[in-house]
Amino acid sequence: GIASWLVNELGNRPSLTRLDTTWTHDAPDRRETWRVGDAISSAGSWGRSVRFGGIQFSTNFATQPSFATFAPQSVVGQAVLPSTVDVFVNNALVSRQTVPPGPFSIGNLPVVSGAGEVRLVVRDMLGREQLVSQPFYASQSLLRQGLSSFSYEAGYVRTDFGQHSDRYGPWLATGSYRHGVSDRLTAEVHAQAMRTLVTAGLGGDYLLAQLGTVSAYLAGSHRPTAHGRLAQLGMEHLTPTWGFGAQMQNTSSGFAQVGDDDLHPGPTRSRSANLSHTLGGNGSVGMAWITQTRPQQPDVRLVSLNYGVGIGDSATLNVSALANLSADKSTQLAIMLSLPLGAGVSLDARAQPVHRHGSGTQTDLSATVQRNLPGGSGYGYRLQQRNAPSTEGMLALQNDVGSYTAGIYQDTHTTATQLSASGGLALLGGRVFASRRID
């Protein structure tokens, strides 16, 4: 079980606010998890998630970290004499084994998402070699044939999280179910229900040989006063050097789903695309574009470009630009240099000029020194200075029974302090043990 609270002293009177209280039960043999208390609902491939209090029953592949959800790759060959086979995945040696004369198959090869190539070098006892090459495409969005995943929730919508301890709204019930129809096709059904709303949809993801994956979803909603429809189409293609993705979504004026409200209605039209390329030793570059149309609100149009490159043995330089092409036009450029100082300590220097239409350009400069917490017992810290001006400092400690942090933030108008502690209790073999937080 996990429980967390927030002690707030910003006003004249300190207040205690409950955040999450959740009991979790994992069943690793079935790769399933039960949650009772506060949780986050499943969104499926086209929905929205909300905080709620109630019960959640879901698939949890993380309880078996070595479990492969998509189809494992295999390759076949034939040896005339007893031979040694070297297996390369994307030019990296992953296996070496001996095979007897005759046909052979090597399966369960380690692969990464996207397009790649498996190559066999078969070397017989006389020193003769033969090459076998086989392309593949693997996607995390696909489930292997016969494998299913699900998430079912029922409870009450959590409102004003972080401000009120026990404020819940209307009841809700949601469910998502995905099934690997084949190694290339994964189908999905997602449904939501509230007191005056029912929304449901279906669709799936399909692998187009070496071209990548495409996805298509249709959904409909019903309320006493309106009906609506949603259509979503997307595609993704990844290679060791290139990446591309695009998605479009349209909804009719009457469409509604869990998470929508009068202040935050969902977009009636959304378009997005991204492109990335690895330049080998010269770094990597990426760009993205997104546009959204919302009822009674200005359109959103954003374009971003980023470039990252390693300098020397361990330093990195990142440059990113973001342009807001909406009515309140603005552009910003961020340049960050990261230098490792040894023993887990790094220095980050950042410059970020922001230009807003009609109000000129402002530049934010900052320098951060950080030491990450070690895997075991130890300490870490973070110190940041900005030209705003503001100063921020944080110290973190960790031992066998907990993690603790203390922080302070100060600018020309405000001084804020923060303390936090987390830990766990485990019942094992009839005895209670103190530990770090258990998730």
Side-chain angles (χ1 to χ4, degrees), residues 88-411:
F88 295 84
V89 175
N90 292 341
N91 295 320
L93 179 64
V94 298
S95 174
R96 173 173 291 168
Q97 52 188 285
T98 59
V99 296
F104 64 86
S105 175
I106 299 176
N108 294 320
L109 299 177
V111 296
V112 294
S113 296
E117 181 185 56
V118 177
R119 183 164 53 90
L120 301 183
V121 179
V122 184
R123 186 179 298 105
D124 65 22
M125 57 188 304
L126 301 180
R128 296 176 298 186
E129 290 186 353
Q130 62 170 315
L131 300 179
V132 179
S133 179
Q134 176 177 300
F136 69 86
Y137 196 99
S139 173
Q140 297 283 359
S141 64
L142 299 176
L143 297 175
R144 66 171 185 245
Q145 184 174 2
L147 183 63
S148 300
S149 66
F150 60 85
S151 182
Y152 307 121
E153 301 92 13
Y156 293 87
V157 177
R158 184 83 181 265
T159 61
D160 296 329
F161 178 79
Q163 299 177 356
H164 296 276
S165 297
D166 299 291
R167 184 165 291 183
Y168 293 88
W171 64 266
L172 86 159
T174 63
S176 298
Y177 180 80
R178 291 175 61 85
H179 180 73
V181 180
S182 68
D183 289 343
R184 286 192 169 190
L185 174 63
T186 297
E188 177 183 306
V189 177
H190 178 69
Q192 313 165 350
M194 300 179 71
R195 185 172 60 88
T196 59
L197 171 67
V198 175
T199 305
L202 55 83
D205 300 272
Y206 183 72
L207 174 61
L208 289 174
Q210 301 307 304
L211 297 180
T213 56
V214 295
S215 62
Y217 293 90
L218 294 173
S221 67
H222 170 76
R223 291 180 292 175
T225 58
H227 306 270
R229 297 175 303 277
L230 173 146
Q232 178 176 299
L233 183 66
M235 70 165 299
E236 180 185 66
H237 178 74
L238 296 174
T239 72
T241 56
W242 285 95
F244 170 77
Q247 182 174 285
M248 58 181 294
Q249 184 186 92
N250 284 2
T251 63
S252 65
S253 59
F255 182 80
Q257 59 175 307
V258 170
D260 288 345
D261 57 44
D262 295 337
L263 295 178
H264 305 92
T268 58
R269 189 179 67 176
S270 176
R271 306 284 187 271
S272 64
N274 62 82
L275 177 68
S276 62
H277 180 51
T278 300
L279 305 172
N282 295 318
S284 61
V285 62
M287 63 181 303
W289 165 80
I290 183 172
T291 177
Q292 287 187 349
T293 300
R294 293 178 179 269
Q296 301 176 352
Q297 295 186 24
D299 291 351
V300 175
R301 289 181 294 165
L302 301 173
V303 177
S304 67
L305 179 67
N306 63 82
Y307 172 73
V309 64
I311 301 176
D313 294 333
S314 51
T316 58
L317 174 67
N318 288 279
V319 180
S320 62
L322 176 67
N324 182 353
L325 306 180
S326 305
D328 53 343
K329 291 181 173 58
S330 64
T331 58
Q332 67 181 45
L333 176 70
I335 303 173
M336 187 175 74
L337 177 65
S338 179
L339 299 171
L341 304 178
V345 181
S346 62
L347 168 64
D348 295 330
R350 182 185 183 97
Q352 186 171 347
V354 179
H355 176 77
R356 291 183 173 85
H357 182 68
S359 60
T361 301
Q362 295 180 334
T363 301
D364 184 11
L365 303 175
S366 66
T368 305
V369 178
Q370 180 169 319
R371 184 183 194 273
N372 296 325
L373 274 173
S377 298
Y379 70 96
Y381 57 83
R382 183 173 183 270
L383 301 172
Q384 183 182 81
Q385 180 67 48
R386 297 175 58 187
N387 67 329
S390 68
T391 303
E392 181 180 343
M394 186 271 293
L395 174 65
L397 303 174
Q398 181 168 270
N399 56 21
D400 292 338
V401 297
S403 300
Y404 323 92
T405 62
I408 184 170
Y409 170 87
Q410 188 173 39
D411 59 25

